[in-house]
């Protein structure tokens, strides 16, 4: 069809690194980022040596009440949440190929896991960014599931 002719392909143009580009870094770049995180992030001690891909304050609702937590998506992958006042790790949303995100609006998003749905609210309104980052991590880790029911 003429598409696979031997025309010279133009030299690749270096593109600026996207926020989510961390997933596509080579080992050396990741190690560099990790060293930066060790020196510069006060959360480093809570994430078991994993590289933080995205972090931000969210309100995590359980029952009637919500707790403000620092949510941290890391390589591994992990989704840790910590108390930003006491700077202690409170828990972790368990990763599995079944983990799914569901944005409700600009602030509220759900993280569905086999045993629990986490109700999260980004008070700054970046719920869609969270969903994108978590979904990208899921695809990057487990691939696109062929058995997804819609
Ligand atoms: C707590 O409510 C907090 O929401 C906890 O969140 C939550 O644990 C507890 O649920 C829930 O009872 P109160 O602080 O009002 O008592 P966090 O751990 O972030 O402090 P998780 O971690 O599971 O959401 P239980 O069912 O896990 O105890």
């Amino acid at each position: 069809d003429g598409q696979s002719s031997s025309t010279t392909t133009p030299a690749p143009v270096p593109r600026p690194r996207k926020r989510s580009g961390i997933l596509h870094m080579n080992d050396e770049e990741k190690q560099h980022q990790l060293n930066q995180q060790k020196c510069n992030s006060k959360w480093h001690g809570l994430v078991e040596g994993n590289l933080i891909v995205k972090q931000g304050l969210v309100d995590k609702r359980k029952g009637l009440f919500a707790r403000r937590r620092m949510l941290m998506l890391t390589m591994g992958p992990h989704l840790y949440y910590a108390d930003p006042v006491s700077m202690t790790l409170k828990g972790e949303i368990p990763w599995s190929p079944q983990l799914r995100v569901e944005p409700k609006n600009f602030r509220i998003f759900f993280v569905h896991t086999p045993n629990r749905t986490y109700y999260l609210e980004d008070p700054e309104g970046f719920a869609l960014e969270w969903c994108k980052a978590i979904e990208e991590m899921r695809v990057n880790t487990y691939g696109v599931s062929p058995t997804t029911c819609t």
Side-chain angles (χ1 to χ4, degrees), residues 112-139:
H112 300 285
T113 71
N115 292 319
R116 174 174 168 187
T117 293
Y118 292 80
Y119 294 77
L120 303 168
E121 177 164 354
D122 178 343
E124 294 198 7
F126 292 111
L128 297 180
E129 310 254 322
W130 271 113
C131 290
K132 253 189 264 172
I134 294 168
E135 173 63 8
E136 188 180 4
M137 179 65 87
R138 190 189 65 77
V139 170

Side-chain angles (χ1 to χ4, degrees), residues 42-92:
K42 63 176 185 171
W43 305 100
H44 181 73
L46 298 183
V47 293
E48 304 174 314
N50 289 302
L51 184 58
I52 299 169
V53 174
K54 182 175 172 60
Q55 67 176 63
L57 290 171
V58 299
D59 295 315
K60 178 172 61 69
R61 186 168 294 280
K62 181 87 191 273
L64 285 181
F65 303 104
R67 298 275 163 210
R68 183 147 294 188
R69 298 291 175 239
M70 177 57 80
L71 184 65
M72 294 171 284
L73 173 66
T74 75
M75 300 301 284
H78 295 273
L79 265 167
Y80 299 104
Y81 50 90
D83 183 332
V85 177
S86 66
M87 295 289 301
T88 53
L89 192 64
K90 300 302 280 191
E92 171 173 3

